Amino acid sequence: QVQLVESGGGLVQPGGSLRLSCVASGISFSIATTRWYRQAPGKEREWVARIKNADGGTLYADSVKGRFIISRDNAKNTVYLQMNSLKPEDTAVYYCNMWTSRDYWGQGTQVTVSS
């Protein structure tokens, strides 16, 4: 059974940082493609960043480029999203998604950026 468990969300002031983690089990982690998405209240789910677990190749949405860094640790079956210079508009529930032969989703972790 595949499980994706996100953690690391919380309340942070504008300009602050958070690191999200997504721990995977029951999946061929090293060949998966991992994406982070986010969904703010009243808005559609938005793609944030992607990493190919095999070679570490990354892509970012324009809204987070230069502020967020996606990385992975294949030995720990974990993908990270380092979020720096956070803005109030980054407030959302952040979801981890992994794809091998189909999509798998985590339960989400809340990130709130507010003073």
Side-chain angles (χ1 to χ4, degrees), residues 46-72:
E46 173 191 23
W47 169 74
V48 174
R50 179 222 81 190
I51 188 166
K52 292 183 178 179
N53 294 2
D55 63 12
T58 58
L59 280 176
Y60 297 92
D62 288 343
S63 58
V64 307
K65 199 173 295 183
R67 300 188 298 123
F68 290 11
I69 301 171
I70 188 171
S71 63
R72 91 288 191 220

mmCIF file of all heavy atoms in Angstrom, residues 46-72:
data_model
loop_
_atom_site.group_PDB
_atom_site.id
_atom_site.type_symbol
_atom_site.label_atom_id
_atom_site.label_comp_id
_atom_site.label_asym_id
_atom_site.label_seq_id
_atom_site.Cartn_x
_atom_site.Cartn_y
_atom_site.Cartn_z
ATOM 1 N N GLU A 46 -2.748 24.318 -7.424
ATOM 2 C CA GLU A 46 -1.709 24.905 -8.263
ATOM 3 C C GLU A 46 -0.430 24.083 -8.152
ATOM 4 O O GLU A 46 0.023 23.772 -7.036
ATOM 5 C CB GLU A 46 -1.453 26.342 -7.790
ATOM 6 C CG GLU A 46 -0.278 27.054 -8.436
ATOM 7 C CD GLU A 46 0.079 28.351 -7.735
ATOM 8 O OE1 GLU A 46 -0.251 28.517 -6.548
ATOM 9 O OE2 GLU A 46 0.718 29.212 -8.370
ATOM 10 N N TRP A 47 0.175 23.768 -9.280
ATOM 11 C CA TRP A 47 1.460 23.073 -9.275
ATOM 12 C C TRP A 47 2.558 24.042 -8.826
ATOM 13 O O TRP A 47 2.581 25.208 -9.245
ATOM 14 C CB TRP A 47 1.770 22.535 -10.666
ATOM 15 C CG TRP A 47 3.162 22.050 -10.825
ATOM 16 C CD1 TRP A 47 3.699 20.899 -10.328
ATOM 17 C CD2 TRP A 47 4.229 22.728 -11.498
ATOM 18 N NE1 TRP A 47 5.030 20.813 -10.670
ATOM 19 C CE2 TRP A 47 5.381 21.914 -11.387
ATOM 20 C CE3 TRP A 47 4.327 23.929 -12.184
ATOM 21 C CZ2 TRP A 47 6.606 22.281 -11.941
ATOM 22 C CZ3 TRP A 47 5.538 24.286 -12.743
ATOM 23 C CH2 TRP A 47 6.666 23.468 -12.618
ATOM 24 N N VAL A 48 3.474 23.554 -8.003
ATOM 25 C CA VAL A 48 4.515 24.395 -7.432
ATOM 26 C C VAL A 48 5.907 24.021 -7.939
ATOM 27 O O VAL A 48 6.674 24.883 -8.381
ATOM 28 C CB VAL A 48 4.502 24.293 -5.887
ATOM 29 C CG1 VAL A 48 5.666 25.055 -5.276
ATOM 30 C CG2 VAL A 48 3.173 24.804 -5.328
ATOM 31 N N ALA A 49 6.232 22.722 -7.856
ATOM 32 C CA ALA A 49 7.582 22.298 -8.222
ATOM 33 C C ALA A 49 7.573 20.814 -8.523
ATOM 34 O O ALA A 49 6.683 20.071 -8.077
ATOM 35 C CB ALA A 49 8.576 22.585 -7.090
ATOM 36 N N ARG A 50 8.592 20.391 -9.289
ATOM 37 C CA ARG A 50 8.698 18.987 -9.673
ATOM 38 C C ARG A 50 10.145 18.540 -9.597
ATOM 39 O O ARG A 50 11.059 19.314 -9.906
ATOM 40 C CB ARG A 50 8.195 18.807 -11.106
ATOM 41 C CG ARG A 50 8.281 17.382 -11.601
ATOM 42 C CD ARG A 50 8.769 17.317 -13.027
ATOM 43 N NE ARG A 50 10.206 17.418 -13.122
ATOM 44 C CZ ARG A 50 10.865 17.581 -14.259
ATOM 45 N NH1 ARG A 50 10.228 17.696 -15.400
ATOM 46 N NH2 ARG A 50 12.183 17.669 -14.273
ATOM 47 N N ILE A 51 10.343 17.274 -9.212
ATOM 48 C CA ILE A 51 11.674 16.677 -9.250
ATOM 49 C C ILE A 51 11.561 15.261 -9.780
ATOM 50 O O ILE A 51 10.619 14.537 -9.446
ATOM 51 C CB ILE A 51 12.343 16.696 -7.855
ATOM 52 C CG1 ILE A 51 13.801 16.259 -7.966
ATOM 53 C CG2 ILE A 51 11.580 15.844 -6.840
ATOM 54 C CD1 ILE A 51 14.620 16.572 -6.701
ATOM 55 N N LYS A 52 12.495 14.882 -10.614
ATOM 56 C CA LYS A 52 12.602 13.494 -11.055
ATOM 57 C C LYS A 52 13.504 12.788 -10.051
ATOM 58 O O LYS A 52 14.696 13.104 -9.939
ATOM 59 C CB LYS A 52 13.196 13.427 -12.452
ATOM 60 C CG LYS A 52 12.288 13.996 -13.526
ATOM 61 C CD LYS A 52 12.917 13.830 -14.897
ATOM 62 C CE LYS A 52 12.002 14.351 -15.989
ATOM 63 N NZ LYS A 52 12.615 14.205 -17.341
ATOM 64 N N ASN A 53 12.962 11.847 -9.311
ATOM 65 C CA ASN A 53 13.721 11.222 -8.227
ATOM 66 C C ASN A 53 14.961 10.508 -8.750
ATOM 67 O O ASN A 53 15.953 10.372 -8.040
ATOM 68 C CB ASN A 53 12.834 10.255 -7.452
ATOM 69 C CG ASN A 53 11.722 10.971 -6.714
ATOM 70 O OD1 ASN A 53 11.579 12.190 -6.801
ATOM 71 N ND2 ASN A 53 10.913 10.216 -6.008
ATOM 72 N N ALA A 54 14.927 10.034 -9.996
ATOM 73 C CA ALA A 54 16.057 9.288 -10.539
ATOM 74 C C ALA A 54 17.292 10.165 -10.731
ATOM 75 O O ALA A 54 18.402 9.794 -10.349
ATOM 76 C CB ALA A 54 15.661 8.629 -11.844
ATOM 77 N N ASP A 55 17.109 11.337 -11.341
ATOM 78 C CA ASP A 55 18.272 12.154 -11.670
ATOM 79 C C ASP A 55 18.266 13.528 -11.011
ATOM 80 O O ASP A 55 19.206 14.308 -11.190
ATOM 81 C CB ASP A 55 18.410 12.310 -13.186
ATOM 82 C CG ASP A 55 17.230 13.039 -13.813
ATOM 83 O OD1 ASP A 55 16.416 13.632 -13.074
ATOM 84 O OD2 ASP A 55 17.118 13.017 -15.055
ATOM 85 N N GLY A 56 17.227 13.822 -10.252
ATOM 86 C CA GLY A 56 17.184 15.097 -9.529
ATOM 87 C C GLY A 56 16.811 16.296 -10.363
ATOM 88 O O GLY A 56 16.917 17.432 -9.883
ATOM 89 N N GLY A 57 16.380 16.087 -11.585
ATOM 90 C CA GLY A 57 15.995 17.195 -12.441
ATOM 91 C C GLY A 57 14.788 17.936 -11.880
ATOM 92 O O GLY A 57 13.814 17.320 -11.475
ATOM 93 N N THR A 58 14.848 19.276 -11.856
ATOM 94 C CA THR A 58 13.816 20.072 -11.191
ATOM 95 C C THR A 58 13.183 21.088 -12.137
ATOM 96 O O THR A 58 13.789 21.528 -13.125
ATOM 97 C CB THR A 58 14.392 20.828 -9.987
ATOM 98 O OG1 THR A 58 15.464 21.669 -10.427
ATOM 99 C CG2 THR A 58 14.913 19.863 -8.937
ATOM 100 N N LEU A 59 11.956 21.447 -11.810
ATOM 101 C CA LEU A 59 11.231 22.523 -12.477
ATOM 102 C C LEU A 59 10.422 23.259 -11.421
ATOM 103 O O LEU A 59 10.004 22.648 -10.423
ATOM 104 C CB LEU A 59 10.271 21.989 -13.536
ATOM 105 C CG LEU A 59 10.822 21.590 -14.909
ATOM 106 C CD1 LEU A 59 9.706 20.993 -15.749
ATOM 107 C CD2 LEU A 59 11.443 22.782 -15.610
ATOM 108 N N TYR A 60 10.202 24.566 -11.663
ATOM 109 C CA TYR A 60 9.467 25.375 -10.694
ATOM 110 C C TYR A 60 8.428 26.249 -11.390
ATOM 111 O O TYR A 60 8.638 26.712 -12.518
ATOM 112 C CB TYR A 60 10.422 26.298 -9.926
ATOM 113 C CG TYR A 60 11.438 25.561 -9.105
ATOM 114 C CD1 TYR A 60 12.684 25.237 -9.633
ATOM 115 C CD2 TYR A 60 11.147 25.176 -7.801
ATOM 116 C CE1 TYR A 60 13.618 24.540 -8.873
ATOM 117 C CE2 TYR A 60 12.077 24.493 -7.035
ATOM 118 C CZ TYR A 60 13.306 24.172 -7.583
ATOM 119 O OH TYR A 60 14.226 23.487 -6.827
ATOM 120 N N ALA A 61 7.337 26.483 -10.683
ATOM 121 C CA ALA A 61 6.382 27.481 -11.146
ATOM 122 C C ALA A 61 7.027 28.860 -11.029
ATOM 123 O O ALA A 61 7.856 29.103 -10.136
ATOM 124 C CB ALA A 61 5.115 27.424 -10.312
ATOM 125 N N ASP A 62 6.641 29.751 -11.922
ATOM 126 C CA ASP A 62 7.224 31.098 -11.900
ATOM 127 C C ASP A 62 6.999 31.795 -10.560
ATOM 128 O O ASP A 62 7.831 32.585 -10.111
ATOM 129 C CB ASP A 62 6.629 31.947 -13.028
ATOM 130 C CG ASP A 62 7.133 31.539 -14.394
ATOM 131 O OD1 ASP A 62 8.165 30.831 -14.467
ATOM 132 O OD2 ASP A 62 6.502 31.915 -15.399
ATOM 133 N N SER A 63 5.877 31.494 -9.919
ATOM 134 C CA SER A 63 5.526 32.168 -8.673
ATOM 135 C C SER A 63 6.464 31.832 -7.519
ATOM 136 O O SER A 63 6.503 32.567 -6.522
ATOM 137 C CB SER A 63 4.089 31.830 -8.278
ATOM 138 O OG SER A 63 3.932 30.425 -8.143
ATOM 139 N N VAL A 64 7.219 30.741 -7.620
ATOM 140 C CA VAL A 64 8.105 30.336 -6.530
ATOM 141 C C VAL A 64 9.568 30.248 -6.954
ATOM 142 O O VAL A 64 10.443 30.017 -6.107
ATOM 143 C CB VAL A 64 7.672 28.985 -5.925
ATOM 144 C CG1 VAL A 64 6.206 29.025 -5.515
ATOM 145 C CG2 VAL A 64 7.935 27.826 -6.885
ATOM 146 N N LYS A 65 9.841 30.434 -8.228
ATOM 147 C CA LYS A 65 11.207 30.298 -8.739
ATOM 148 C C LYS A 65 12.134 31.284 -8.022
ATOM 149 O O LYS A 65 11.802 32.460 -7.865
ATOM 150 C CB LYS A 65 11.221 30.553 -10.241
ATOM 151 C CG LYS A 65 12.428 30.013 -10.967
ATOM 152 C CD LYS A 65 12.255 30.168 -12.477
ATOM 153 C CE LYS A 65 11.115 29.335 -13.013
ATOM 154 N NZ LYS A 65 10.992 29.427 -14.487
ATOM 155 N N GLY A 66 13.268 30.770 -7.568
ATOM 156 C CA GLY A 66 14.223 31.601 -6.843
ATOM 157 C C GLY A 66 13.979 31.666 -5.350
ATOM 158 O O GLY A 66 14.823 32.176 -4.608
ATOM 159 N N ARG A 67 12.836 31.181 -4.897
ATOM 160 C CA ARG A 67 12.513 31.187 -3.454
ATOM 161 C C ARG A 67 12.380 29.775 -2.894
ATOM 162 O O ARG A 67 12.718 29.549 -1.728
ATOM 163 C CB ARG A 67 11.210 31.944 -3.204
ATOM 164 C CG ARG A 67 11.239 33.385 -3.641
ATOM 165 C CD ARG A 67 9.974 34.132 -3.189
ATOM 166 N NE ARG A 67 8.754 33.581 -3.761
ATOM 167 C CZ ARG A 67 7.737 33.138 -3.040
ATOM 168 N NH1 ARG A 67 7.776 33.169 -1.712
ATOM 169 N NH2 ARG A 67 6.649 32.665 -3.640
ATOM 170 N N PHE A 68 11.857 28.858 -3.671
ATOM 171 C CA PHE A 68 11.640 27.481 -3.217
ATOM 172 C C PHE A 68 12.675 26.558 -3.861
ATOM 173 O O PHE A 68 13.094 26.776 -5.003
ATOM 174 C CB PHE A 68 10.247 26.991 -3.618
ATOM 175 C CG PHE A 68 9.106 27.636 -2.879
ATOM 176 C CD1 PHE A 68 9.283 28.764 -2.074
ATOM 177 C CD2 PHE A 68 7.827 27.107 -2.974
ATOM 178 C CE1 PHE A 68 8.227 29.350 -1.394
ATOM 179 C CE2 PHE A 68 6.759 27.665 -2.313
ATOM 180 C CZ PHE A 68 6.957 28.790 -1.527
ATOM 181 N N ILE A 69 13.045 25.521 -3.114
ATOM 182 C CA ILE A 69 13.966 24.513 -3.633
ATOM 183 C C ILE A 69 13.403 23.135 -3.335
ATOM 184 O O ILE A 69 13.126 22.820 -2.164
ATOM 185 C CB ILE A 69 15.359 24.642 -2.992
ATOM 186 C CG1 ILE A 69 15.952 26.028 -3.263
ATOM 187 C CG2 ILE A 69 16.291 23.552 -3.540
ATOM 188 C CD1 ILE A 69 17.227 26.304 -2.487
ATOM 189 N N ILE A 70 13.242 22.327 -4.372
ATOM 190 C CA ILE A 70 12.795 20.942 -4.197
ATOM 191 C C ILE A 70 14.021 20.039 -4.283
ATOM 192 O O ILE A 70 14.904 20.251 -5.117
ATOM 193 C CB ILE A 70 11.717 20.564 -5.243
ATOM 194 C CG1 ILE A 70 11.123 19.196 -4.948
ATOM 195 C CG2 ILE A 70 12.271 20.637 -6.664
ATOM 196 C CD1 ILE A 70 9.902 18.856 -5.807
ATOM 197 N N SER A 71 14.060 19.052 -3.386
ATOM 198 C CA SER A 71 15.186 18.120 -3.373
ATOM 199 C C SER A 71 14.696 16.771 -2.892
ATOM 200 O O SER A 71 13.570 16.647 -2.417
ATOM 201 C CB SER A 71 16.304 18.637 -2.471
ATOM 202 O OG SER A 71 15.866 18.729 -1.130
ATOM 203 N N ARG A 72 15.566 15.769 -3.037
ATOM 204 C CA ARG A 72 15.140 14.444 -2.566
ATOM 205 C C ARG A 72 16.314 13.713 -1.956
ATOM 206 O O ARG A 72 17.478 13.991 -2.254
ATOM 207 C CB ARG A 72 14.500 13.635 -3.696
ATOM 208 C CG ARG A 72 15.419 12.717 -4.544
ATOM 209 C CD ARG A 72 16.301 13.482 -5.453
ATOM 210 N NE ARG A 72 16.970 12.598 -6.408
ATOM 211 C CZ ARG A 72 18.231 12.757 -6.768
ATOM 212 N NH1 ARG A 72 18.977 13.766 -6.279
ATOM 213 N NH2 ARG A 72 18.772 11.940 -7.658
#
